[in-house]
């Protein structure tokens, strides 16, 4: 007898018939009917009308039938809560059944029924099951706590289930331990502040023991939990690593990847001088390579992760290029990922092989893959100088194939090669020009225009060639364009050209910054965060969980442990000598080249979604260029109106605002009101720094943070070669530009410097949270000091929350996250307070008067995206205010309060 | 964690739908159908994000299995689980097909309830599952039987039940390797690697403790320290195995510390270990792999309407061994109008539908060579695109392990029962098969 027939009943009156069958006296018939109901449910038919009839079949000793009824209940209980109560008795009874399988089934199913009334009845059976003598029941009950927490978190806490769950971590049965760990991890995720998991060396030891004994899935839960632990020192980190490495030989790829995650994370804490560090590096390569022999879907997950690992620790896989060669029958998603990793691993040692492969790939069928292969050849040329010539000739060969998209892609990358090696390969221009007619993609056309423009002197008919592009010029830029960004840039050039050709020449033909060797690098802080998410969806998407997970689960930011270990300070990149930072970090550039190149490529549509620019040297340069150009245009009085025949009537307004934007970009020093700036304090006394005294303060103006410094030379010799660097800190503060002291500092001289800061540096939680450790170097020595920065420099300009949103968020943040403070001796009234705070980006959303008291509801947002909601209670006669703060990361509250104090009292 | 699991037929009709989490609604079922199964383009990724919901899918013949989630789940785990799900279903009812799924949908729901709780995978070893998910309703189990089931499902040895008895204790070991090769037309090895599996089929009574030994270089060197002459002899034949993975029954910490492979096997067939070789050029040069065949291609274009192809294959192993099921596939251009083939051995045929000449040889001994030559007539075309010349591929089966792996022993101890290692009948077999074995031409 087969079950497929249940799928085929589609006649009318079916529900009626089923009802009759469900109420039949014959057991067999009943069971048949329930099966039909489940089949209908599967295909999406609404069979909720049969609820009472199905529930009636629940009281049975036939386990198969019982399970089917339970399945039905889980689906429809929510829509029929009153009827669902009918089932409670059976559940409660089943939880007492002598058969452990039935007890477990009952508690498992009950947890899946999301009806409040049933939940109430669940507590007692669940309490018993958590302490059941049978491990099968206990492991099921452990997961049930997580289910219940999802329905009613408060209930779980009130009933003390969390403590019972914690006790299960010490259970004698490994599977119970694993499920308890899974449940606790999930609950902890929705309570980022609570110390629910309370991992300490003892509990870690228990987990590591259970790791050897439980199922493959349990091992994954435990490893993922271990990855959240922060060992207290390098020794503990090493001993955990030693016990985790055997998992690298597990047949289950997820176990392997989770083990890799733990190792990659804890490795941060190991000194590079340690023998063990080298051993660990060697041990990581084989399992990663083995993952590539798994099924294609897993290969894909593995490759996305390897892409991160190769960026973080290139040394692990640098000899393994060959395993990433593409196979003829790999699925396309595997091919594309392998290609990405090949480019990252390409080096002088293997470039010949890589090029030979890439050339093969360029003749395949899949268009995306071919394009990427061609692009990869260009990357190789830029990355490995010795290979540039071969790459160029390979690209020329490919252009000869005349396959349209290959030609276009090749031209785009040849432009980049010209950028990197100017005046070296002009001989190929002739070949490129032959293919002018076939270019129909904007990017290729832009590249070609750039090449023609750049080498105009050497191309006899450059003007003719450009002519051919002019046809569509109106569609592709200026006034007919709907894209305001494009239009404004068009205007800038147009104005520039029509006003002062000399200035225009200076701007357009200025020296271009060099092209970087690496593209599409993941921004370092994001990379570090993603390393903490190895194996998970975040590592597949290369996005932090907050980008694709709704609700509170994504809020917790994970970060790598800080490096410890004493003997490595000299070579570790974090402690590199101050000043070299800008040169050391790879200059991350958007894939299309710098801003100037970008101006030409405008018709590509949306702005380049490259990674945030870390060392903004490239970008800053370009912005200055434009700013300076415009300054001279306007300041010099050369601003002559353009004849109105070619000028749209509404030009005035957009142009004005466009210029305003540009001024914003240049920093607008001093002119605009900003946050409160504390007076300068001495940070580094001359006594401690061989005569160099540093005093300073922090400021925030129009969105940019700066460190205002005064350097005073109290020694007898001249000081020069200043440089500055920050240690990692809680909010990733880092200098956005090198410390520039233009002339050597003579004895008894002072210099004032404004050092722009950004918040894209490495993140490490400090204690106190706003502690900043700074190293300053000069020709004499390196000096260290630490200072506390006021948190309000991190309050961003768009920190005003919508009213509705505010209400919802206020309710959503649990009460234990609320903190109350008193602000004493402040005599301002509510409006004065509002406007004062607004200056520092604390926004008042609503004001209410309750029984003579003024209540201000305020919001602010920190640079790392943390929202803080505040309620400020002001009594007219009382100079003491009450400040209540609610935030998902309550550890910041205290510092927010300090910021309030500072702002209000000054 | 996994929020829901759906199974669809090739048309996108739902066959099974089980939701574990409240954040997954019925609309998720449709979203996957519309955006992935019915998508106009070929699937570009096994993970799809639609409206903040992530879908993981695998396909078995024309059946789609999709796991859905809204959280940042362990992606590797989800895929491993989907494969496991397929294994379990296959173990219960054979091939995964629409018919089989419809016929067993009640069973599948029961399995899904057991092996996934609130989206967390639970014990999914078929050996254990089959003891209590039987589709026979409730059997009147005794209390002992019940606790035996639960302790097995949750226990340390979740893959084997106690009390197994065989009259004849017997075990079979298969060393199965597949050799992958990509060679340039000039005979230079571009990439070569072996992926191997040791599959064990055991019919042993009780809870047998097994120990498996192979010619692992590290182990042999360690042992050989005492007796110098043995190192000289066996050291040559040992191979370096660095990248292997084991079935969950193997005690990994013991392998890590002592490099010994010890385990209590599941009953019946299972994959004991998986390993690769050759691709890891740091540990082993490609020279260590025995490439069973060498293909020497010669393609000459005679004018615009004719191709001359000559292919020589050479077997490269002991003359006493025989390779079987040899097949050489020589791709031909799309505009081929006719082919004439002459081969010294076996049979060769031009298959127009596959755009290839297929040359089959039943058996071939080691250290021999054979040759095929063909004349391919082409229709004149004005297609500008050049023929991409796909590589010549080869299939074969040889009775040895191309990586050089050898089984040294498999010892069985069962202290509680009265049989010893000597009483167990053991069989070992080596099969080397071609994986993707290609030579560019």
């Amino acid at each position: 007898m087969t079950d497929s027939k249940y799928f085929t009943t589609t006649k009318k009156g079916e529900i009626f018939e089923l009802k009759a069958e469900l109420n039949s006296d014959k057991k067999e018939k009943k069971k048949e009917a329930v099966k039909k109901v489940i089949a209908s449910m599967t295909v999406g038919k609404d069979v909720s009308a049969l609820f009472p009839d199905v529930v009636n079949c629940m009281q049975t000793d036939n386990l198969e039938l019982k399970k089917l009824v339970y399945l039905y209940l889980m689906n429809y209980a929510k829509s029929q809560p009153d009827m669902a109560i009918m089932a409670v008795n059976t559940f409660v009874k089943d939880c007492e059944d002598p058969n452990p399988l039935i007890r477990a089934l009952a508690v498992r199913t009950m947890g899946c029924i999301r009806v409040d009334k049933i939940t109430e009845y669940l507590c007692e059976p669940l309490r018993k099951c958590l302490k059941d003598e049978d491990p099968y029941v206990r492991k099921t009950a452990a997961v049930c706590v997580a289910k219940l927490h999802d329905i009613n978190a408060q209930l779980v806490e009130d009933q003390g289930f969390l403590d019972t769950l914690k006790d299960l971590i010490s259970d004698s049965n490994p599977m119970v331990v694993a499920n308890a760990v899974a449940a606790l991890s999930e609950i902890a995720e929705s309570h980022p502040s609570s110390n629910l998991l309370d991992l300490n060396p003892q509990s870690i030891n228990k987990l590591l023991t259970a790791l050897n004994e439980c199922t493959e899935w349990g091992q994954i839960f435990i490893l993922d939990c271990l990855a959240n632990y922060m060992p207290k020192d390098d020794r503990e980190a090493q001993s955990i690593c030693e016990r985790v490495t055997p998992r690298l030989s597990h047949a289950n790829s997820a176990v392997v990847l989770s083990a890799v995650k733990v190792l990659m994370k804890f490795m941060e804490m190991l000194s590079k001088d340690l023998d063990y560090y080298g051993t660990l590096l060697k041990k990581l390569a084989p399992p990663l390579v083995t993952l590539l022999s798994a099924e294609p879907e897993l290969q894909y997950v593995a490759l996305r992760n390897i892409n991160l690992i190769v960026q973080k620790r290139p040394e692990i896989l640098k000899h393994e290029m060959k395993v990433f060669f593409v196979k003829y029958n790999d699925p396309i998603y595997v091919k594309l990922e392998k290609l990405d990793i090949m480019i990252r691993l390409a080096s002088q040692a293997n470039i010949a092989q890589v090029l030979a492969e890439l050339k093969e790939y360029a003749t395949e069928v899949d268009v995306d893959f071919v394009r990427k292969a061609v692009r990869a050849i260009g990357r190789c040329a830029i990355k490995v100088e010795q290979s540039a010539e071969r790459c160029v000739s390979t690209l020329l060969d490919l252009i000869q194939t005349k396959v349209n998209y290959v030609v276009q892609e090749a031209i785009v990358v040849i432009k980049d090669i010209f950028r990197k090696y100017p005046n070296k390969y002009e001989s190929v221009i002739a070949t490129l020009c032959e293919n002018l007619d076939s270019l129909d993609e904007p990017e290729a056309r832009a590249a070609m225009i750039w090449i023609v423009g750049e080498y105009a002197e050497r191309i006899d008919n450059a003007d003719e060639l450009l002519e051919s592009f002019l046809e569509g010029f109106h569609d592709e830029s200026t006034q007919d364009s709907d894209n305001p960004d494009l239009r404004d840039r068009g205007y800038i050039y147009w104005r520039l050209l029509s006003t002062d050709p000399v200035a225009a020449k200076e701007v357009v033909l200025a020296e271009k910054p060099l092209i970087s060797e690496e593209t599409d690098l993941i921004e370092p802080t994001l990379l570090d965060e993603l390393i903490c998410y190895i194996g998970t969806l975040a590592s597949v998407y290369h996005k932090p969980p907050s980008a694709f997970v709704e609700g509170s689960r994504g809020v917790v930011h994970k970060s790598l442990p800080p490096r410890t270990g004493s003997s490595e300070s000299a070579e570790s990149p974090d402690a590199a000598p101050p000043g070299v930072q800008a040169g050391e970090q790879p200059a991350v550039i958007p894939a299309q080249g710098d801003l100037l190149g970008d101006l030409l490529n405008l018709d590509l549509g949306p702005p380049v979604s490259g990674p945030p620019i870390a060392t903004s040297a490239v970008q800053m340069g370009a912005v200055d260029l434009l700013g300076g150009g415009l300054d001279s245009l306007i300041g010099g009085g050369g601003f002559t109106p353009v004849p109105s025949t070619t000028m749209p009537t509404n030009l005035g307004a957009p142009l004005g605002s466009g210029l305003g934007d540009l001024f914003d970009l240049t920093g607008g020093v001093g002119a605009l009101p900003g946050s409160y700036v504390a007076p300068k304090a001495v940070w580094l006394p001359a006594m401690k720094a061989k005569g160099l005294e540093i005093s300073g303060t922090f400021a925030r103006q129009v969105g940019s943070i700066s460190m205002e410094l005064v350097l005073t030379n109290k020694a007898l010799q001249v000081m020069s070669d200043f440089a500055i660097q920050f240690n990692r800190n809680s909010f990733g503060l880092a200098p956005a530009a090198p410390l520039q002291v233009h002339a050597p500092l003579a004895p008894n001289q002072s210099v004032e410097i404004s050092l722009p800061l950004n918040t894209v540096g490495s993140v490490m939680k400090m204690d106190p949270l706003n502690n900043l450790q700074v190293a300053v170097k000069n020709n004499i020595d390196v000096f260290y000091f630490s200072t506390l920065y006021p948190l309000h420099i991190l309050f961003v300009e768009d920190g005003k929350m919508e009213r509705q949103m505010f209400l919802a968020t206020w309710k959503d943040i649990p009460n234990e996250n609320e903190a109350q403070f008193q602000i004493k001796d402040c005599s301002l009234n509510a409006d004065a307070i509002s406007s004062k705070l607004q200056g520092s980006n604390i926004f008042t959303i609503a004001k209410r008067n309750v029984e003579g008291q003024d209540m201000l509801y305020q919001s602010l947002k920190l640079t790392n995206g943390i929202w803080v909601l505040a309620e400020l209670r002001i009594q007219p006669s009382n100079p003491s205010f009450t400040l209540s703060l609610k935030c998902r990361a309550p550890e910041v509250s205290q510092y927010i309060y300090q910021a309030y104090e500072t702002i209000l009292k000054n | 964690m996994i929020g829901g699991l759906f199974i669809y037929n090739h048309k996108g009709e739902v066959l099974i739908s089980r939701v574990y989490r409240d954040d997954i609604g019925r609309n998720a079922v449709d979203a996957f159908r519309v955006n992935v199964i019915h998508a106009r383009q070929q699937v570009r990724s096994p993970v799809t994000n639609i409206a903040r919901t992530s879908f993981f899918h695998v396909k078995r013949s024309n059946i789609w299995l999709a796991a859905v989630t809204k959280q940042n789940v362990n992606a590797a785990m989800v895929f491993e689980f989907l494969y496991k799900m397929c294994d379990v279903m296959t173990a219960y009812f054979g091939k995964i097909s629409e018919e089989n799924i419809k016929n067993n949908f009640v069973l599948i729901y029961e399995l899904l309830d057991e092996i996934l709780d609130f989206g967390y995978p639970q014990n999914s070893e078929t050996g254990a599952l089959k003891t209590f998910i039987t589709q026979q309703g409730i059997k009147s189990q005794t209390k002992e039987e019940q606790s035996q089931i639960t302790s097995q499902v949750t226990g340390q040895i979740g893959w084997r039940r106690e009390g197994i008895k065989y009259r004849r204790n017997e075990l079979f070991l298969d060393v199965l390797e597949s050799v992958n090769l990509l060679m340039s037309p000039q005979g230079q090895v571009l990439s070569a690697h072996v992926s191997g599996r040791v599959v064990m089929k055991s019919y042993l009574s009780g809870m047998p403790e097994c120990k498996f030994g192979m010619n692992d270089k590290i182990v042999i060197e360690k042992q050989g320290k005492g007796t110098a002459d043995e190192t000289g002899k066996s050291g040559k034949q040992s191979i370096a195995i660095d990248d292997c993975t084991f079935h969950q029954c193997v005690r990994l910490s013991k392998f890590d510390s002592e490099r010994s492979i010890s385990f209590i096997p599941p009953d019946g067939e299972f994959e004991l270990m998986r390993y690769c070789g050759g691709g890891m050029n740091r540990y082993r040069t490609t020279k260590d792999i025995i490439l069973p065949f060498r293909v020497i291609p010669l393609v000459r274009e005679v004018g615009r309407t004719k191709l001359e192809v000559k292919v020589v294959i050479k077997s490269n192993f002991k003359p006493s061994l025989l390779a079987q099921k040899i097949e050489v596939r020589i791709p031909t251009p799309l505009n081929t109008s006719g082919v004439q083939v002459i081969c010294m051995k076996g049979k060769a045929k031009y298959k127009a539908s596959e755009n290839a000449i297929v040359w089959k040889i039943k058996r071939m001994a080691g250290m021999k060579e054979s040759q095929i030559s063909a004349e391919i007539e082409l229709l004149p075309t004005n297609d500008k695109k050049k023929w991409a010349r796909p590589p010549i591929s080869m299939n074969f089966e040889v009775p040895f392990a191309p990586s050089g792996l050898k089984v040294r022993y498999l010892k069985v101890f069962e202290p509680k029962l009265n049989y010893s290692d000597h009483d167990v009948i053991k069989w070992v077999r080596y099969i080397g098969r071609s994986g993707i074995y290609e030579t560019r031409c």
Side-chain angles (χ1 to χ4, degrees), chain A residues 2 4 42 61 67 78 114 134 136 147 179 186 217 249 251 253 297 319 366 368 535 537-538 541, chain B residues 15 21-22 26 44 54 72-75 80 83 103 109-110 114 117 120 122 124 138 150 245-246 281:
Chain A
T2 67
S4 59
T42 300
D61 52 359
K67 284 181 178 173
K78 222 173 148 185
R114 304 177 64 94
D134 194 292
Y136 183 78
K147 292 179 188 167
N179 276 3
E186 177 167 340
W217 314 116
S249 328
S253 307
E297 291 87 3
H319 298 295
D366 189 285
D368 283 349
L537 262 181
Y541 293 146
Chain B
L15 304 178
R21 296 269 174 159
D22 204 35
R26 182 82 201 178
R44 304 298 277 196
S54 299
N72 181 33
V73 292
N74 188 321
E80 284 284 4
Y83 301 144
N103 282 337
Y109 276 124
E110 199 175 342
E114 186 59 43
D117 190 3
Y120 290 105
Q122 305 292 305
S124 45
I138 192 158
T150 58
T245 58
F246 297 99
N281 39 16

Side-chain angles (χ1 to χ4, degrees), chain A residues 85-139:
Chain A
I85 290 295
M86 290 161 54
V88 164
N89 265 336
T90 317
F91 279 127
V92 175
K93 216 176 91 200
D94 278 0
C95 284
E96 306 274 344
D97 196 278
N99 186 340
L101 292 170
I102 293 191
R103 293 202 294 278
L105 177 65
V107 78
R108 183 165 71 212
T109 311
M110 242 176 135
C112 295
I113 297 180
R114 304 177 64 94
V115 173
D116 278 341
K117 284 181 195 155
I118 290 205
T119 316
E120 286 168 30
Y121 288 100
L122 175 59
C123 291
E124 278 324 300
L126 176 59
R127 198 186 315 281
K128 271 187 208 153
C129 288
L130 279 167
K131 303 209 161 132
D132 200 283
E133 55 171 19
D134 194 292
Y136 183 78
V137 180
R138 292 201 299 278
K139 73 108 183 162

